[in-house]
Amino acid sequence: MRPLSGSHLSKRILMKIYAKALVVVAVLALLTGCASSSKSGTNPSATPTATVSPASLICQPSQLQIQMGVGDAAMGTVGYAGMGFKNISTSTCTLTGYPALQMLDANGANIPTFSLHIAPYAAPAGSKSTATLAPGQVAKFDMQFHSQTGYGNLSCPTSAKVAFTAPGDTAPVTIAWKLQPYGGSTIQTLRCGEIKVSPIYSN
């Protein structure tokens, strides 16, 4: 057999080194893939974000019942102190802001009603403007309107029912109630259905 020349020998050595290098690279790639797969398999799944419900929600009409306040009349003004939204449900709920009023006739049709905002006049000292109502508790508000004084023989319609919409609600709580509010300062500026109402308050 002919002895290999130096150049042929060098080529064979280089080919062997190259082949070994390819084997080493393949082994390293295999090990890296296994390690990556093992690592990704052991990662704990992301913890879902918990949804925290507020301690109390806005009272819904189905949770509320209207309680009458104490009525009084003097100098052509009628007032009802401590009107109330009572929580008749088994869940706690919250009210804050001004209730809305709408007078209705015997057929349930709207009678012109104009609500004006006033400060509470019967709220005890230290009362809060937001009422968080546990079952059975009451959020109060005050209301006033003028009787027929100073308007001559002019007459305003009398309601058969009054619909009260609690702050933040879109549907009312309706009760049977005859009201005949007058508004405006003179005969020329008479505005029937003008009622002053305070924001909700609680002790």
Side-chain angles (χ1 to χ4, degrees), residues 100-104 109-113 115 159 161-165 195:
L101 280 69
Q102 176 62 58
M103 297 193 303
L104 307 171
N110 290 349
I111 294 174
T113 307
S115 293
S159 68
K161 304 174 184 178
V162 179
F164 295 87
T165 303
I195 302 174

Side-chain angles (χ1 to χ4, degrees), residues 40-135:
S40 63
T42 56
N43 274 348
S45 59
T47 303
T49 303
T51 301
V52 180
S53 298
S56 55
L57 303 173
I58 295 175
C59 299
Q60 300 303 306
S62 60
Q63 295 178 276
L64 300 173
Q65 182 180 74
I66 294 294
Q67 281 197 343
M68 292 298 298
V70 178
D72 192 18
M75 301 295 292
T77 299
V78 177
Y80 286 87
M83 295 288 297
F85 286 104
K86 182 179 181 180
N87 181 2
I88 58 173
S89 73
T90 57
S91 302
T92 297
C93 61
T94 295
L95 291 176
T96 183
Y98 291 85
L101 280 69
Q102 176 62 58
M103 297 193 303
L104 307 171
D105 65 18
N107 296 318
N110 290 349
I111 294 174
T113 307
F114 304 93
S115 293
L116 305 178
H117 292 171
I118 58 171
Y121 60 84
S127 294
K128 300 176 182 178
S129 58
T130 295
T132 299
L133 305 179

